[in-house]
Amino acid sequence: MELKNFSLKFKDNILFSNVNIVFKKSNIHHILGKNGSGKSTFAKSILGAVDYTGKIDLENEKTLVIGSYTNIPIEYKVKDILEILKDKYTVELFKKFKESLDIDSIPIENKLLNLSDGQKQKLKLLFFMANSPKIIILDEFTTALDKKTSIEVYKFLNAYIKEFDAAIVNITHNLSDLKYMPGMYYIVKDKKIIGDIEMEDAINYYIGGVDYEE
């Protein structure tokens, strides 16, 4: 995925200006930025939900954005979802991904409405990834997950990019994401997305207030 002269304004506020950056396949790209810097609005612009100028080149690849605004109907039972999904994956991959997310620990007669946030997120991930997208945008996906669930999600995503040669852009506040999903690191600063930086520099800018100079 490539941004070419990408600019984004929301409610008369310029969030991004003339951004040019490439997110390579077979990598997880972690984006850190302070509140209000426009990260979630950027994710929505990829869906076409927010107007922008310039170009987002998705290379004609299947693209998925998963955030709090993407959901499975809550009246579905777990068994209904699994029945739908078993024909979407190969038998081997379905077994592998179910195990990595510990899906079998979720009672199959329960409706999504009655599941924990972590259980919902794991099923949401398995459900939306079934079409084998090559570009995945995660918008604060691991926020509010407990450590066990987060590690299961990390295991799944690490396996997914290897299996499908995918690019994951992970917009996050959760620094555990960076530890358990090695990848490339970016910060949002001065209406730009700055990449090719060390993880420590990204963290220091985000939580330590240490300025970053290119």
Side-chain angles (χ1 to χ4, degrees), residues 140-155:
E140 306 292 355
F141 188 78
T142 63
T143 298
L145 298 184
D146 60 52
K147 186 170 184 178
K148 178 180 180 296
T149 301
S150 294
I151 289 174
E152 289 164 352
V153 167
Y154 300 146
K155 184 179 178 181

Side-chain angles (χ1 to χ4, degrees), residues 69-204:
Y69 36 83
T70 49
N71 290 296
I72 308 170
I74 58 175
E75 69 272 11
Y76 277 28
K77 290 184 176 181
V78 174
K79 67 177 183 180
D80 299 329
I81 296 168
L82 297 180
E83 186 66 26
I84 293 169
L85 291 178
K86 73 178 184 181
D87 294 326
K88 299 285 187 179
Y89 291 99
T90 65
V91 173
E92 181 181 353
L93 269 183
F94 193 46
K95 180 180 178 182
K96 178 180 178 180
F97 288 161
K98 277 178 61 186
E99 287 177 352
S100 67
L101 290 168
D102 194 23
I103 296 296
D104 288 340
S105 68
I106 304 173
I108 64 171
E109 293 294 337
N110 279 14
K111 292 184 177 182
L112 260 67
L113 175 67
N114 300 317
L115 300 183
S116 70
D117 288 342
Q119 290 171 330
K120 290 176 186 174
Q121 290 292 72
K122 290 193 292 184
L123 283 166
K124 183 191 295 188
L125 192 61
L126 191 66
F127 185 87
F128 285 110
M129 301 285 260
N131 289 325
S132 307
K134 288 295 188 74
I135 300 171
I136 302 103
I137 315 299
L138 302 176
D139 187 9
E140 306 292 355
F141 188 78
T142 63
T143 298
L145 298 184
D146 60 52
K147 186 170 184 178
K148 178 180 180 296
T149 301
S150 294
I151 289 174
E152 289 164 352
V153 167
Y154 300 146
K155 184 179 178 181
F156 172 84
L157 292 172
N158 285 327
Y160 186 91
I161 62 168
K162 292 178 182 177
E163 185 71 37
F164 291 101
D165 189 31
I168 294 177
V169 177
N170 181 41
I171 298 166
T172 187
H173 287 296
N174 186 353
L175 298 183
S176 291
D177 290 6
L178 282 62
K179 177 180 178 182
Y180 289 100
M181 293 192 294
M184 304 178 73
Y185 310 98
Y186 305 75
I187 58 173
V188 177
K189 180 179 182 285
D190 298 332
K191 301 178 177 58
K192 303 289 186 186
I193 299 174
I194 302 171
D196 195 23
I197 66 177
E198 298 295 325
M199 179 173 68
E200 184 177 352
D201 289 333
I203 293 172
N204 286 341

